[in-house]
Amino acid sequence: MGEAPVFLRGVEIRPGYLDRAAQEEMVEDIRDVARAAPLFSPETRFGKKMSVQMTSAGTYGWYSDRRGYRYERRHPSGVDWPPIPASVLAVWHAVTGVERAPDCCLVNFYREGARMGLHQDRDEADFGWPVLSISLGDSALFRIGSVERGGKTESVWLNSGDVCVIGGEARLVHHGIDRIRAGSSTLLADGGRINLTLRVVD
Ligand code: MD6
Ligand code: FE
């Protein structure tokens, strides 16, 4: 499946892990998720609306407002998050090889101009579990730094079908999305990029 893994600052990238048919199937599954739990733009803890739209699947969904970053058991509308699609769980098990299933699949949707600042994924209880991401649609410039704040960073384009694992020594590296290359993929009819991140929360 795809090419050999590439490691950048301890982060494992599997270019082209999902073929076109698997990507199309997954997009349909994510459309179902977004129908049950519509996309919204959370506020950062500084009160600024994020440029990325989000929703989640699983027992927990990631949420943010002025009270801070956290996991919630319900969508802001009050409904339960829908289950994580089987197509997505299959990638988690095949790539990470860990015994536990993830209990959150965060869905990020980027339109042209959306970005995500450098951050660590640290709202989970046990950093022994990896975080896995799947990219669908337009390519994104992914920046990876260090566990410590500041210092050197390196960037790589994540393309549709690429899978990325942040685990082990790299579990707490800073990372973010600088920009989207609009029109670089035909996967999503109206353009944009979907990124799924799978986590073990508690
Ligand atoms: C994104 N990804 O690709 C943002 N986090 O849109 C992440 O923030 C991320 O790719 C943890 C592990 C892998 C990731
Ligand atoms: Fe992240």
Side-chain angles (χ1 to χ4, degrees):
M1 288 192 193
E3 302 152 42
V6 178
F7 284 86
L8 188 63
R9 304 186 72 76
V11 174
E12 179 183 0
I13 299 162
R14 302 275 196 118
Y17 183 84
L18 296 176
D19 65 19
R20 176 75 183 208
Q23 294 172 41
E24 287 174 357
E25 186 201 342
M26 203 172 281
V27 168
E28 288 312 309
D29 292 341
I30 297 307
R31 289 193 196 286
D32 290 341
V33 168
R35 260 189 289 276
L39 292 164
F40 56 94
S41 292
E43 278 188 356
T44 66
R45 60 198 161 92
F46 311 109
K48 194 169 177 291
K49 210 171 137 146
M50 296 178 74
S51 58
V52 178
Q53 293 180 281
M54 299 181 179
T55 190
S56 292
T59 306
Y60 295 102
W62 190 83
Y63 192 73
S64 167
D65 60 16
R66 285 163 200 263
R67 286 171 41 213
Y69 305 140
R70 60 193 182 271
Y71 287 97
E72 292 280 1
R73 286 193 173 260
R74 290 195 165 72
H75 184 270
S77 68
V79 300
D80 286 343
W81 306 102
I84 301 176
S87 59
V88 176
L89 288 175
V91 174
W92 166 272
H93 287 294
V95 174
T96 69
V98 300
E99 64 275 23
R100 243 192 94 164
D103 42 29
C104 172
C105 172
L106 172 63
V107 179
N108 289 147
F109 181 65
Y110 297 74
R111 292 186 193 283
E112 188 173 6
R115 54 184 299 283
M116 186 172 297
L118 274 185
H119 66 275
Q120 293 168 295
D121 283 33
R122 54 179 306 158
D123 302 316
E124 303 75 29
D126 182 352
F127 303 135
W129 301 106
V131 178
L132 177 141
S133 96
I134 303 172
S135 294
L136 298 165
D138 286 338
S139 301
L141 190 57
F142 187 50
R143 184 191 292 267
I144 307 171
S146 311
V147 175
E148 302 72 39
R149 273 170 153 278
K152 185 181 165 187
T153 66
E154 290 176 88
S155 297
V156 62
W157 284 95
L158 293 179
N159 302 311
S160 195
D162 292 356
V163 169
C164 162
V165 184
I166 294 193
E169 297 283 289
R171 177 61 180 76
L172 290 173
V173 293
H174 287 79
H175 58 277
I177 297 290
D178 287 345
R179 61 194 160 92
I180 301 302
R181 192 183 268 157
S184 52
S185 166
T186 57
L187 185 70
L188 306 178
D190 296 327
R193 171 175 184 262
I194 296 169
N195 175 262
L196 309 177
T197 45
L198 295 161
R199 307 100 189 288
V200 173
V201 172
D202 63 10

